[in-house]
Amino acid sequence: MSSDSAPDSVFLPWNTIQGLRVHRYLRRDALVVDLHPGVGSDTPGVLGLEHPDIQLMLTKRMLGTVGFEPP
């Protein structure tokens, strides 16, 4: 997957993803990818989570929720 704010794509193996959900905020839908606890840029097979803009998505409330939300 990719995000407009990060130049590189993010690759997440299926076993790192806890779930997917659609979150609606201000009439806008966003796909939220919930990661298992402890998944980070050093997790085997994961690429792209080390980018500062992606790290911000993982910690800051965006569009009313916390999670990886590509804009």
Side-chain angles (χ1 to χ4, degrees):
M1 68 184 77
S2 64
S3 171
D4 291 342
S5 61
D8 299 324
S9 294
V10 174
F11 180 80
L12 300 167
W14 279 114
N15 63 347
T16 63
I17 298 172
Q18 186 170 351
L20 302 170
R21 57 192 161 100
V22 176
H23 181 78
R24 177 159 259 219
Y25 185 73
L26 299 177
R27 296 185 205 166
R28 184 175 167 190
D29 290 334
L31 176 65
V32 180
V33 179
D34 294 311
L35 303 177
H36 282 287
V39 171
S41 59
D42 58 345
T43 302
V46 171
L47 300 173
L49 286 185
E50 69 281 350
H51 191 276
D53 291 338
I54 300 299
Q55 286 295 312
L56 187 61
M57 288 179 181
L58 294 173
T59 57
K60 183 182 174 195
R61 194 171 191 77
M62 300 176 67
L63 299 178
T65 190
V66 173
F68 182 76
E69 285 186 53

